[in-house]
Amino acid sequence: MNMNILFGKIYKKKVYYLASAIFIFIGIVYFFSCSQRPFIGLDINNSDGHWYVVTANQNGEGYKSGIRFGDQIFKINSEDAGNYHILRKWGRAEGANSISFSAKENTTEQTITIENPPALQRMLAILPYFLLGFIFWFLGFIAWLKRPSLVQARALFWLNYFLGLAILLAQASSRGLFLGKELEYITFLLTAVALIYFFSIFPLDKENKINKVSCQIVTALAAVFFILLTQLSHPVG
């Protein structure tokens, strides 16, 4: 056997094993990170220099602490709301330990302390999502492991890989963890690309029209992603 071909096959296999190791590492790190930080669940917008709650997730600690839609936020962790970095960047109050606000019906400012649920409760809340993400990756990995030379198996691996990763990162993103939101956007883009590629390897006819359409869609996605990155570089408000 040609040595270049042999080493090429070994190298390609190492890529899949390395990608899988990275997936497991990211999953474990973010699982324990998510389990340490409560989900606040508040989306906040700036209106004429004032910060108002536009969404209060009923499963979030913010809602459970009494914050509702339309309430005005004054301070987060004892600093002006506008100076809180996660709020300015993403319009969220994740990572907050205390929030000063006034209700729509009552203009009196009040401060609440965000309660951190028991560790077991936090882990059980996020466990189904992480299990689902790992299941996606594992099914793709098994498909590739059984038929590593089959192009469809390789395509399925990457499709499941990015789908599973997107599920994991959604939890990290929702809690404002480091690089969670950025990686989530990138992963969603790669998921779309992997999905397009997966379907493109099943041509409808000799001209393979799907490939042509896929190239156009990928180009459009790249343009949208570039615009998205530009927007992400500017903080909210």
Side-chain angles (χ1 to χ4, degrees):
M1 178 182 290
N2 187 296
M3 292 301 293
N4 290 331
I5 296 177
L6 176 61
F7 283 116
K9 288 183 177 180
I10 294 175
Y11 171 75
K12 289 180 180 179
K13 285 188 176 182
K14 284 186 176 180
V15 169
Y16 288 86
Y17 286 121
L18 178 61
S20 297
I22 292 174
F23 185 99
I24 295 172
F25 175 77
I26 291 175
I28 292 175
V29 169
Y30 274 131
F31 175 78
F32 285 104
S33 298
C34 287
S35 68
Q36 298 300 313
R37 175 177 286 190
F39 173 56
I40 308 299
L42 299 177
D43 291 323
I44 306 169
N45 276 356
N46 187 319
S47 178
D48 297 326
H50 302 288
W51 297 89
Y52 295 96
V53 177
V54 294
T55 303
N57 191 308
Q58 294 185 10
N59 295 318
E61 296 303 318
Y63 184 92
K64 294 176 182 178
S65 299
I67 300 177
R68 298 292 185 270
F69 167 80
D71 291 353
Q72 183 176 353
I73 305 298
F74 296 106
K75 294 182 179 180
I76 298 178
N77 293 348
S78 301
E79 64 176 337
D80 290 340
N83 294 330
Y84 190 61
H85 67 287
I86 296 180
L87 178 60
R88 287 188 57 81
K89 189 173 184 179
W90 303 115
R92 302 180 68 91
E94 299 305 324
N97 296 316
S98 64
I99 300 176
S100 297
F101 73 103
S102 65
K104 286 193 302 182
E105 300 80 8
N106 184 0
T107 58
T108 302
E109 182 177 340
Q110 53 185 308
T111 301
I112 60 166
T113 299
I114 300 298
E115 298 294 335
N116 206 352
L120 181 60
Q121 181 180 336
R122 296 195 304 269
M123 287 186 176
L124 291 177
I126 62 175
L127 185 60
Y129 301 99
F130 280 84
L131 285 178
L132 182 61
F134 271 93
I135 288 173
F136 268 100
W137 159 75
F138 184 72
L139 291 177
F141 181 78
I142 293 299
W144 166 79
L145 194 62
K146 289 184 175 180
R147 301 290 297 275
S149 61
L150 189 65
V151 63
Q152 288 87 351
R154 296 198 297 269
L156 182 61
F157 170 87
W158 290 113
L159 177 59
N160 278 26
Y161 183 91
F162 291 121
L163 279 172
L165 196 58
I167 295 172
L168 302 185
L169 292 172
Q171 294 301 304
S173 172
S174 68
R175 286 165 173 76
L177 294 177
F178 179 67
L179 291 181
K181 182 71 73 173
E182 292 88 344
L183 290 175
E184 181 187 31
Y185 279 118
I186 295 173
T187 303
F188 272 118
L189 172 67
L190 294 176
T191 300
V193 174
L195 181 62
I196 292 169
Y197 174 69
F198 181 76
F199 284 110
S200 72
I201 60 178
F202 297 97
L204 292 177
D205 52 36
K206 293 181 180 179
E207 295 182 358
N208 198 357
K209 295 180 180 179
I210 292 183
N211 276 328
K212 296 180 180 179
V213 176
S214 299
C215 291
Q216 296 173 355
I217 295 176
V218 170
T219 302
L221 284 173
V224 171
F225 186 60
F226 176 78
I227 295 173
L228 183 61
L229 283 179
T230 303
Q231 294 297 320
L232 292 179
S233 64
H234 296 84
V236 177

